[in-house]
Amino acid sequence: MGAGKMGSFFIDLLSFDHEVAVYDRDARRMRFTYNCQRFTTYDEVEAFKPELLINAVTLKYTIPVFQEVMPFLPKECIISDIASVKTDLKDFYEQSGMRYVSTHPMFGPTFANLNQLSEENAIIISEGDYMGRIFFKDLYHKLGLNIYEYTFEEHDKTVAYSLSIPFVSTFVFAAVMKHQDAPGTTFKRHMRIAKGVLSEDDYLLQEILFNPYTHDQVSQIRTELKELLTIIDAKDGEGMKNYLTKIRDNVRRDIHLER
């Protein structure tokens, strides 16, 4: 469901080993899909009788699209999503009466090299259909992804940390930046990141920031900025040295964990 960036990625990924069809209301978005059937009506979906449905539409429409298509699916079909925020999905799935599996590829076409994903991660929600989880585990393993299994709640806590902090930091950079005729390397790198983040769907950015666990993470940024501003105002050399030591230790610890 959906022939956007990630939908097209999954079509390409699956179409050589499986019989794949794509549905999108806007037929123009399916022009460049390859090796798959293209549907524009739910009657075609019903005739196809899918064993697995991957919902890759914009986050805002994930549940509404599920509700629209479910009457046309066989009862044994496994429904799935790749949403970056799982709020309300657990309750929806449990009330749907359908087999389900929920995953989150922790990368996107904006920054990731889709031909080299060995340094990227994917989360598979531990709740849901066993065979559905096995399918995605095998798929992500073939891509070389690092796979983690979390509950719905653990997933949203992880996203609140791993996405909201860099997103908000990028927003702050974009809000205070001014045009530079001769920008330095660091500025140009931050600008590249800002352009990538701000090219994402508005509703996706909103949902990540409205994640119930985001507030506490953003509050930590405010606390750190207050401490740093105090050091700057006082021109506290020793305080700055200690602060830099603290954040370097944080970065080193994270690098160690990655290894």
Side-chain angles (χ1 to χ4, degrees):
M1 305 296 293
K5 293 178 181 178
M6 289 305 290
S8 297
F9 170 71
F10 273 93
I11 292 167
D12 290 343
L13 186 62
L14 295 169
S15 63
F16 288 97
D17 296 314
H18 303 274
E19 187 179 357
V20 174
V22 57
Y23 170 91
D24 199 295
R25 285 179 179 156
D26 185 353
R28 292 172 299 179
R29 301 186 73 190
M30 298 187 288
R31 283 178 298 175
F32 303 112
T33 54
Y34 174 74
N35 200 33
C36 68
Q37 297 184 52
R38 304 170 188 177
F39 297 159
T40 55
T41 69
Y42 286 138
D43 288 338
E44 293 172 290
V45 176
E46 184 175 30
F48 186 67
K49 298 181 180 178
E51 297 176 8
L52 172 72
L53 180 138
I54 301 176
N55 190 335
V57 303
T58 303
L59 184 61
K60 179 179 181 180
Y61 301 110
T62 300
I63 290 179
V65 163
F66 270 140
Q67 292 169 331
E68 287 182 11
V69 73
M70 277 171 50
F72 300 90
L73 300 177
K75 287 296 182 184
E76 64 274 14
C77 179
I78 301 172
I79 58 175
S80 71
D81 75 274
I82 55 171
S84 52
V85 179
K86 306 297 185 183
T87 307
D88 299 328
L89 276 169
K90 180 180 180 180
D91 289 341
F92 169 78
Y93 280 135
E94 291 179 348
Q95 294 168 15
S96 70
M98 301 284 290
R99 299 165 66 193
Y100 71 87
V101 59
S102 184
T103 77
H104 181 193
M106 297 286 284
F107 60 89
T110 301
F111 293 118
N113 178 359
L114 299 182
N115 296 313
Q116 179 58 44
L117 296 172
S118 60
E119 295 184 1
E120 304 294 344
N121 304 314
I123 293 174
I124 297 175
I125 302 301
S126 56
E127 299 144 285
D129 185 82
Y130 173 76
M131 293 307 297
R133 299 202 309 272
I134 292 297
F135 176 85
F136 278 101
K137 188 175 291 187
D138 288 345
L139 179 64
Y140 292 155
H141 179 72
K142 288 176 183 176
L143 290 173
L145 294 167
N146 303 295
I147 303 169
Y148 300 89
E149 291 197 47
Y150 295 151
T151 64
F152 281 105
E153 182 179 15
E154 289 169 340
H155 168 272
D156 280 1
K157 286 182 177 178
T158 298
V159 167
Y161 170 75
S162 64
L163 292 183
S164 64
I165 288 180
F167 278 18
V168 169
S169 301
T170 300
F171 289 174
V172 172
F173 167 78
V176 301
M177 61 154 286
K178 297 179 181 178
H179 172 72
Q180 299 289 316
D181 289 326
T185 301
T186 302
F187 184 93
K188 287 190 289 186
R189 287 178 178 172
H190 278 283
M191 177 61 77
R192 215 159 31 237
I193 292 172
K195 288 179 178 178
V197 169
L198 294 173
S199 71
E200 296 286 1
D201 178 77
D202 286 0
Y203 193 82
L204 170 64
L205 297 175
Q206 173 182 302
E207 285 301 295
I208 288 170
L209 294 183
F210 290 176
N211 180 329
Y213 303 102
T214 292
H215 177 270
D216 290 346
Q217 300 296 338
V218 176
S219 292
Q220 289 184 48
I221 296 176
R222 183 172 56 190
T223 300
E224 291 298 320
L225 285 174
K226 184 178 180 181
E227 179 181 351
L228 186 57
L229 194 57
T230 299
I231 293 170
I232 292 171
D233 287 344
K235 294 183 171 57
D236 182 358
E238 187 64 26
M240 179 59 75
K241 180 180 178 181
N242 292 336
Y243 190 82
L244 291 172
T245 298
K246 180 183 77 170
I247 61 177
R248 283 178 178 137
D249 286 345
N250 273 353
V251 172
R252 275 195 289 266
R253 192 179 304 117
D254 188 66
I255 292 173
H256 176 71
L257 289 173
E258 286 181 356
R259 289 174 179 170

